[in-house]
Amino acid sequence: QVQLVESGGGLVQPGGSLRLFCAASGRGFTINAMAWYRQVPGKQRELVAASPTGGSTNYADSVKGRFTISSDNAKNTVYLQMNGLKAEDTAVYYCNVEAIIHYTGYLRSFWGQGTQVTVSS
């Protein structure tokens, strides 16, 4: 129904920047919100930033002022601009889309495959 493709991860030095990209494709859905999560081994996946359709963006306290989420509802894409990266930002980052599936009317959540971000000197 909804396929997500991510790109943009990699290795960067502390203080550097990366930009993550996610595109949603498929048919018969309307996006309700797009977001980025991250996960490190042994810990729960955590919300990094969210962009509800027609609503205000919100961020984890740990990334406020450094990360910016932006979405294009017409293109079903979402970016995460990450500046001032720190070692503790190292994680696998996942794109998440909440979408209403037209033929069921249900809200469902979809995940990207994840992209590794490593911040190290």
Side-chain angles (χ1 to χ4, degrees), residues 74-102:
K75 296 181 179 179
N76 291 338
T77 58
V78 62
Y79 291 90
L80 184 68
Q81 178 66 43
M82 304 185 292
N83 299 327
L85 283 161
K86 305 175 181 179
E88 50 264 42
D89 294 318
T90 296
V92 177
Y93 284 70
Y94 295 91
C95 175
N96 173 263
V97 165
E98 290 187 347
I100 297 173
I101 306 303
H102 295 166

Side-chain angles (χ1 to χ4, degrees), residues 48-61:
V48 176
S51 178
T53 300
S56 300
T57 56
N58 58 86
Y59 298 89
D61 288 342

Side-chain angles (χ1 to χ4, degrees), residues 31-51:
I31 291 179
N32 188 60
M34 303 186 83
W36 289 94
Y37 286 73
R38 66 187 181 187
Q39 188 171 25
V40 297
K43 291 190 176 181
Q44 286 190 330
R45 195 170 294 187
E46 65 172 359
L47 177 67
V48 176
S51 178

Side-chain angles (χ1 to χ4, degrees), residues 1-7 20-36 51-54 69-80 95-102 110 112:
Q1 292 161 329
V2 179
Q3 294 81 42
L4 302 180
V5 176
E6 303 173 21
S7 63
L20 305 183
F21 171 76
C22 175
S25 62
R27 292 184 176 184
F29 66 93
T30 299
I31 291 179
N32 188 60
M34 303 186 83
W36 289 94
S51 178
T53 300
I69 187 171
S70 58
S71 61
D72 185 331
N73 292 334
K75 296 181 179 179
N76 291 338
T77 58
V78 62
Y79 291 90
L80 184 68
C95 175
N96 173 263
V97 165
E98 290 187 347
I100 297 173
I101 306 303
H102 295 166
F110 300 89

Side-chain angles (χ1 to χ4, degrees), residues 11-16 85-88 90 118-121:
L11 173 65
V12 64
Q13 292 185 342
L85 283 161
K86 305 175 181 179
E88 50 264 42
T90 296
T118 302
V119 185
S120 174
S121 56

